Amino acid sequence: MKQNGYEEAANGRVITIFSAPNYCDQMGNKGAFIKINGSDNKPKYTTFDWVVI
Amino acid sequence: MHALDKRKPRDKEHEQTLRVNLSFSNNLSNKLSELIRFEGEVKEKYDQNTYDLFADVFCYLPLVYVVNSKIMICHGGLFSKDGVKLSDLKKIDRIREPPEEGLMTELLWSDPSPLPGRQPSKRGVGMTFGPDVAHRFLDDNKLGMTLNLKR
């Protein structure tokens, strides 16, 4: 589980994305997704607190 | 299971297509489906045949993607030994349940760690890998980065 929805390691070369906010309805973490533009391969993160199903 | 948005550039505004690529994650294995109650839910709402179909289809979901030749995407992480090449990953016998150990299992279970080198994983499967391991693997394979997708 990643509290902020994502985590970078190895100077940003290893990225973990955690998509489930408030994991198991109790962790209070953010979820995140990532957008990568093919022109520069730079990650742009969006985090969110909840989802509507 | 994770979805990747591969929208085409907006050259033809009204003909934009959306492609979704699904990838395999460790919780879709038969063993974990049972643990997370997916198996029970499907059997409760449908039947054994339906669950068997899910299990079969999951075995065809890719373990790893490489985007733009630079970004490797998988559920878990890297490997218990140095020198693994993308070509080794292509040789994995994919259409099967994950075995106890090996490249397929490590792709699904390993985690990054701030500690250098490799350490045993709290998960009991795979291991944690440090920044040095990641840099070696990525440089070796001319990759820029690796993305690990957790639910």
Side-chain angles (χ1 to χ4, degrees):
Chain A
M1 202 275 296
K2 298 296 171 197
Q3 197 59 39
N4 293 322
Y6 69 92
E7 191 170 274
E8 293 187 343
N11 300 331
R13 295 183 82 189
V14 176
I15 298 171
T16 300
I17 295 286
F18 196 84
S19 60
N22 197 22
Y23 188 49
C24 295
D25 295 326
Q26 59 185 6
M27 300 302 283
N29 63 290
K30 288 181 189 295
F33 62 84
I34 191 169
K35 273 187 173 175
I36 296 174
N37 187 323
S39 60
D40 59 8
N41 289 332
K42 276 195 183 145
K44 291 194 183 70
Y45 301 99
T46 304
T47 62
F48 47 89
D49 293 307
W50 46 276
V51 288
V52 179
I53 301 172
Chain B
M1 194 161 26
H2 307 285
L4 303 174
D5 183 345
K6 291 188 74 181
R7 221 177 280 254
K8 281 187 176 173
R10 295 187 182 186
D11 46 356
K12 296 176 186 172
E13 208 172 332
H14 300 294
E15 292 178 33
Q16 227 185 91
T17 55
L18 178 68
R19 269 181 57 190
V20 173
N21 293 352
L22 301 176
S23 68
F24 188 77
S25 67
N26 53 7
N27 44 35
L28 299 180
S29 69
N30 256 329
K31 223 183 261 177
L32 262 87
S33 279
E34 194 183 338
L35 268 181
I36 64 170
R37 307 202 189 100
F38 177 69
E39 183 178 358
E41 185 177 344
V42 173
K43 285 183 186 168
E44 169 84 21
K45 292 179 177 167
Y46 302 95
D47 52 27
Q48 178 71 45
N49 275 346
T50 309
Y51 175 72
D52 290 345
L53 271 173
F54 270 114
D56 281 352
V57 170
F58 289 163
C59 284
Y60 287 84
L61 292 177
L63 301 171
V64 56
Y65 290 90
V66 176
V67 177
N68 288 348
S69 308
K70 286 292 171 203
I71 304 168
M72 180 174 120
I73 301 176
C74 65
H75 180 76
L78 302 181
F79 310 101
S80 55
K81 57 180 188 208
D82 283 339
V84 174
K85 294 283 170 53
L86 292 177
S87 56
D88 296 318
L89 305 184
K90 278 193 176 167
K91 288 182 208 143
I92 293 175
D93 177 13
R94 169 65 192 98
I95 305 169
R96 55 171 297 178
E97 283 285 318
E100 294 294 315
E101 56 182 25
L103 296 182
M104 178 169 170
T105 301
E106 290 163 4
L107 264 175
L108 293 170
W109 286 95
S110 295
D111 291 298
S113 161
L115 298 173
R118 296 174 172 87
Q119 319 283 338
S121 171
K122 281 186 288 187
R123 303 176 190 273
V125 191
M127 33 92 228
T128 69
F129 57 94
D132 52 332
V133 175
H135 287 304
R136 278 199 299 274
F137 172 82
L138 292 169
D139 293 343
D140 232 18
N141 284 287
K142 300 185 170 57
L143 292 166
M145 66 173 93
T146 170
L147 288 184
N148 315 310
L149 307 178
K150 313 282 186 198
R151 55 171 173 165

